[in-house]
Amino acid sequence: MSNNNLHSFGLGLATLDSQGKVIEVYYPEPVVSPAAEVVAALSIHCGYKAGNSDIRLSPAQRSTLSDDMTVPMSDLLRQTLKTTQSTVVAMFLAENSVPATVAEVYLKLHLLSHRLCKPHALNLQGAFGILRNIAWTNQGAIAVEELQARQLLARSQGQLLDVMSVDKFPKMVNYVVPTGVRIADTARVRLGAYVGEGTTVMHEGFINFNAGTEGSAMVEGRISAGVVIGEGSDLGGGCSTMGTLSGGGTAIISVGRDCLIGANAGIGIALGDRCIVEAGLYVTGGTIVSVLDHEGNLVQHAKARDLSGRSDLLFRRNSQTGAVECKTNKTSIALNEELHSHN
């Protein structure tokens, strides 16, 4: 093998459609930056040469790989490799380039949810075009085109095939449950979410793929794709952060540390640290803001995008004039420690 360096690697159990095509992959123990001796062992057992490759392993390859203690994996995974009847895929990422296969996209989503890579660190360009809509059921992933036949078969056997969702992305907890998190409604956190330790996601909270929280946070609102929330921040019930998947936007929205976005509020700009957006106020990049000094006097009118990323700001709406105002935030935000310290 000409290259002993790998960006990442995963051994996965794959689901195939009736045509033998991979529709999803479960990687229980993905690895980033494996050592050169590990890459050499993988090359011998899996037939890996170079580049980004997904290789379906034969029973013989799985057996010899599981016996090689050079390759780091749990005893449970070693035993599974020897006994499983599922298709086993070895996914090699030599470089973090545009994904080309379903197996590659799923490895990157796992790396995010395992907290091995942070949002925006992985190239997921075109992932939507690679993934298929899948029926996520109590019997596993089923290609939508084959769902009716499976439903009929289940009924004929006196069973119910329960379809929880039809989507390109599954829920995260069916693949990864990160340590120290609490998720009230697991269907609202997609695989590929980065959920920091200490985060609580309440029933109305939502975290998309390639997005998430850097540490303890309260999420009762929506974290859209690409949005990262800083340690100690609180997203109030029904609030929203604007992502980049729709609407043609390209700006990356983020929220700093110790911020509060009030209930039913929202942002289309980045917030620095210790910022507050009052309940019910949606601040987009083009929102005209009256910037006030410490005395409450008007300093200037500005578009909200000109304030993007600044710290210690309070955004509010004047209850008499309806104008959106911004002044220095003097209120400190603190999460309820009892809600987050025992996740």
Side-chain angles (χ1 to χ4, degrees), residues 14-33:
T15 300
L16 311 181
D17 65 11
S18 61
Q19 305 300 311
K21 295 180 179 179
V22 173
I23 61 173
E24 64 88 41
V25 187
Y26 168 52
Y27 297 101
E29 300 173 15
V31 178
V32 294
S33 302

Side-chain angles (χ1 to χ4, degrees), residues 258 276 329-334:
D258 302 322
I276 296 177
N329 176 40
K330 298 181 180 180
T331 303
S332 61
I333 301 299

